[in-house]
Amino acid sequence: MYVCNCNGIREREVRAAIDAGASRPAEIFRQKGCQAQCAKCVCEMRQMIEDSRQALAYAAE
């Protein structure tokens, strides 16, 4: 599934960028060598980052 239609960034690519340390959508775009176009995907990326942080926090407990 595409998260960013403008740049063709798929969900698995966003998750890989988050796993590699991206903590902001701008860092995901930087890792993919592009930048936000319409920015509709930014909210979804932020939610994916937050979900990942929460999962790590629960795992650490």
Side-chain angles (χ1 to χ4, degrees), residues 1-5 9-13 15 44 48:
M1 176 170 75
Y2 286 97
V3 173
C4 177
N5 289 321
I9 302 174
R10 296 176 183 265
E11 183 178 349
R12 68 175 178 254
E13 295 172 306
R15 293 195 189 285
E44 187 173 352
M48 292 172 72

Side-chain angles (χ1 to χ4, degrees), residues 9 11-33 42 44-54 56:
I9 302 174
E11 183 178 349
R12 68 175 178 254
E13 295 172 306
V14 173
R15 293 195 189 285
I18 293 168
D19 290 344
S23 61
R24 297 177 31 219
E27 294 171 2
I28 295 169
F29 288 116
R30 196 172 312 118
Q31 284 187 22
K32 297 303 299 171
V42 171
E44 187 173 352
M45 287 181 181
R46 285 183 181 145
Q47 185 61 53
M48 292 172 72
I49 292 166
E50 182 59 30
D51 291 347
S52 177
R53 286 182 183 159
Q54 287 180 2
L56 289 173

